[in-house]
Amino acid sequence: ENHERSFETSEPAFHHNHGMLFIPYQLELHKDRTPVRTIVGGFGSGKTMGQVMSMLVNAAILPQFRAFALAPLSVQAEEVYRLAMDMMSGTEFEKRFLISHREKPYPTIKVGNDRVGVSTIECYPIADNQRKLRTLTGDLAIVDQAEDDQIDLDELLRSIGTRFRGRVPKTGRSRV
């Protein structure tokens, strides 16, 4: 399988021609490196879309980037996957960087190019067992629908906080 993709520009390709630009607060969050951020906004305010765009940008520019989209139920995690796929559909970003994707058993998107190799965005339901996150290592996790009472935010932060640090094997890049 050929994973080479062109990296011809330093700007995210899906921004061009299709109007997918970060709105100001989304761009501020994309640049922010605070370890834990909470985003509160109304329905349709772009909370999830901004974080998905941020994951896609990082996946295209950071070697072996690994992100997780977490939600209480599988249908909610799948919604994040569909949003990312819709966002990329028919764009230069899709042509240049999308390597593969799958919906089952857990939605996964592989993005990359000849400079960063393969990066992944994985979508998981977590209401049934938040401790399973302790077996995962990555750069970034977003929690969609965090207000759901099935999620124990203290346990979730404990699990993520112990796994999302250190360095990427082979490249030595610090985790985001």
Side-chain angles (χ1 to χ4, degrees):
E1 183 176 6
N2 182 1
H3 297 301
E4 289 188 18
R5 294 288 187 264
S6 172
F7 194 89
E8 299 168 6
T9 179
S10 62
E11 295 182 0
F14 57 76
H15 285 191
H16 304 291
N17 306 322
H18 298 281
M20 290 305 301
L21 295 171
F22 286 111
I23 57 179
Y25 90 86
Q26 292 171 332
L27 183 58
E28 285 180 40
L29 286 167
H30 172 70
K31 293 177 178 180
D32 185 10
R33 293 297 169 235
T34 305
V36 177
R37 294 172 282 172
T38 302
I39 305 167
V40 178
F43 179 78
S45 62
K47 303 175 300 294
T48 302
M49 180 177 280
Q51 293 306 293
V52 170
M53 280 198 310
S54 184
M55 288 191 302
L56 289 168
V57 169
N58 286 329
I61 64 174
L62 295 175
Q64 297 176 334
F65 178 79
R66 188 175 185 198
F68 300 97
L70 311 171
L73 306 174
S74 59
V75 67
Q76 293 163 324
E78 289 165 7
E79 194 60 34
V80 174
Y81 166 81
R82 280 192 286 284
L83 177 62
M85 295 306 298
D86 288 348
M87 199 180 293
M88 289 186 290
S89 180
T91 66
E92 285 298 312
F93 186 95
E94 178 184 38
K95 286 189 245 177
R96 292 180 187 175
F97 303 117
L98 182 63
I99 294 170
S100 67
H101 61 95
R102 70 167 193 247
E103 290 187 49
K104 303 291 180 188
Y106 297 107
T108 301
I109 299 169
K110 291 188 178 184
V111 172
N113 59 65
D114 56 345
R115 289 190 182 174
V116 302
V118 179
S119 296
T120 62
I121 299 170
E122 303 164 47
C123 305
Y124 292 107
I126 56 170
D128 60 333
N129 183 1
Q130 293 177 50
R131 289 183 179 204
K132 69 182 170 189
L133 294 175
R134 293 183 183 175
T135 65
L136 304 175
T137 300
D139 288 283
L140 175 71
I142 67 166
V143 182
D144 205 27
Q145 308 297 323
E147 74 278 8
D148 192 297
D149 61 4
Q150 296 180 64
I151 295 180
D152 177 346
L153 289 175
D154 289 332
E155 175 64 32
L156 184 64
L157 286 172
R158 207 170 14 261
S159 296
I160 290 173
T162 62
R163 305 310 306 161
F164 289 68
R165 58 186 170 74
R167 298 194 175 275
V168 175
K170 294 184 183 177
T171 67
R173 175 183 63 77
S174 293
R175 294 274 182 200
V176 176

